[in-house]
Amino acid sequence: MARSLCPGARLRKPCCLQCDKYKTGVIDGPACNSLCVTETLYFGKCLSTKPSNQMYLGIWDNLPGVVKCQMEQKLHLDFGTELEPRKEIVLFDKPTRGTTVQKFKEMVYSLFKAKLGDQGNLSELVNLILTVADGDKDGQVSLGEAKSAWALLQLNEFLLMVILQDKEHTPKLMGFCGDLYVTESVDHASLYGLSLPWAMERFVPSGLSSSMGQLFAPAWPRKAKIAIGLLEFVEDVFHGPYGNFLMCDTSARTLGYNSRYDLKMLDMRKIVPETNLKELIKDRHCESDLDCVYGTDCRTSCDQSTMKCTSEVIQPNLAKACQLLKDYLLHGAPSEIREELEKQLYSCIALKVTAHQMEMEHSLILNNLKTLLWKKISYTNDS
């Protein structure tokens, strides 16, 4: 029997663990009262792609949003599953009572050092986290707020959302309660404007799925604007202020866009710190390169002399983005730029991390693509 993508949808509050913990004083956060007391945080359409990660369209105090929470966490360090090791049930057991703010800051700093590497500005990020954790903005972080923040910081998506909170293509964080969090709404929850249910997607060939998507996709100038947004997001995560993040699932279902056709990232769970991924994958036993894959797109190679995975990811983020955009942009492209666009996209897809002067080539290709697209749409209403 197939598992429901939204097993929590049968419940009045799909993520009910948070309310039990909130009412006993274990956790706190700006969304807790609305979720558990006034009941002004409503769950709507299910957007989940996996049963263990619940995602719903929602309304919070009359504002549309996307509600995300974890249902069935298990401890996984296996690259066929999850990078984020989580317990079967989130106990919200850290920090413990009596932990000072200074000690909590040290905990967060150590976590960031493990995830992001020894960046020189990690103290700034710690202070930023404390500002976010102070949900009621009273100038103090309560123990309940600290427990919620600590649980959320185990999630790569939440960490990246905080790091990129001022960037255009990252959904804004509206609030949280425990490890449930609410982000701004995205009008169209797929790059194509159409998304197949996860259970059906497994049985539809990728070519057919892409052809079906083109029927519901926006007009070409609007697709070009969305594509520019994806290229800008690649810039945001490529050597950002706290290191490089790797996009390990660049599929159409992880991207969305708003009513102005600005790209918004819908699902960033498989965008992971490069330092974190390298540390976990290196020395992993392998028989072939197929054993050295995280998500769908982060691949390293299997060293046949040692039968261990190497740590260097083969394909950069930009190449993966261009692979996704190839059919999306070439379908319906204006004839006067189609040949040049195709040439640039294939040059982009051919990028390798190990290539000589990769960073310079990366910047050149990215800027050329953005310039080509902007020139074509700059005098239209879609710009």
Side-chain angles (χ1 to χ4, degrees), residues 345-365:
L345 284 169
Y346 275 105
S347 295
C348 177
I349 292 168
L351 272 175
K352 292 285 188 292
V353 169
T354 54
H356 181 58
Q357 295 184 317
M358 191 279 292
E359 291 193 22
M360 185 182 300
E361 192 177 359
H362 179 285
S363 298
L364 184 63
I365 288 175

Side-chain angles (χ1 to χ4, degrees), residues 24-43:
T24 54
V26 175
I27 61 172
D28 202 353
C32 289
N33 191 64
S34 299
L35 176 70
C36 307
V37 180
T38 63
E39 298 190 353
T40 51
L41 175 54
Y42 302 100
F43 293 80

Side-chain angles (χ1 to χ4, degrees), residues 113-283:
K113 189 173 180 180
K115 277 181 172 280
L116 304 173
D118 198 4
Q119 306 284 333
N121 52 355
L122 287 184
S123 295
E124 296 174 16
L125 183 56
V126 171
N127 290 331
L128 179 59
I129 290 298
L130 260 64
T131 301
V132 173
D134 180 17
D136 56 10
K137 305 305 176 190
D138 64 352
Q140 300 179 16
V141 178
S142 68
L143 181 61
E145 289 172 334
K147 285 179 181 288
S148 291
W150 182 256
L152 287 165
L153 288 175
Q154 312 308 309
L155 305 173
N156 288 317
E157 178 174 64
F158 183 84
L159 174 58
L160 188 59
M161 196 175 297
V162 173
I163 289 174
L164 301 179
Q165 62 178 341
D166 296 326
K167 300 297 184 180
E168 178 184 1
H169 306 296
T170 306
K172 299 295 180 280
L173 178 68
M174 296 170 63
F176 59 87
C177 179
D179 67 348
L180 172 149
Y181 53 106
V182 186
T183 69
E184 69 173 310
S185 180
V186 177
D187 298 287
H188 303 277
S190 171
L191 186 64
Y192 286 95
L194 169 75
S195 56
L196 293 173
W198 172 74
M200 184 184 299
E201 192 177 70
R202 292 180 297 167
F203 301 104
V204 177
S206 59
L208 177 59
S209 177
S210 178
S211 298
M212 291 171 60
Q214 293 289 4
L215 296 175
F216 295 90
W220 191 87
R222 292 171 173 173
K223 288 197 293 184
K225 185 180 181 185
I226 294 167
I228 290 170
L230 179 56
L231 296 174
E232 289 173 344
F233 181 78
V234 169
E235 287 182 293
D236 291 341
V237 299
F238 182 67
H239 294 324
Y242 302 103
N244 190 21
F245 281 73
L246 300 175
M247 299 171 67
C248 296
D249 183 359
T250 45
S251 58
R253 66 176 178 270
T254 64
L255 315 174
Y257 55 92
N258 62 20
S259 58
R260 298 184 302 276
Y261 300 94
D262 298 316
L263 177 103
K264 294 288 182 180
M265 298 303 297
L266 185 65
D267 186 348
M268 300 192 295
R269 285 177 294 118
K270 287 295 193 297
I271 301 178
V272 299
E274 182 178 29
T275 299
N276 199 201
L277 182 65
K278 282 185 172 182
E279 187 63 31
L280 286 173
I281 201 170
K282 73 175 184 180
D283 298 329

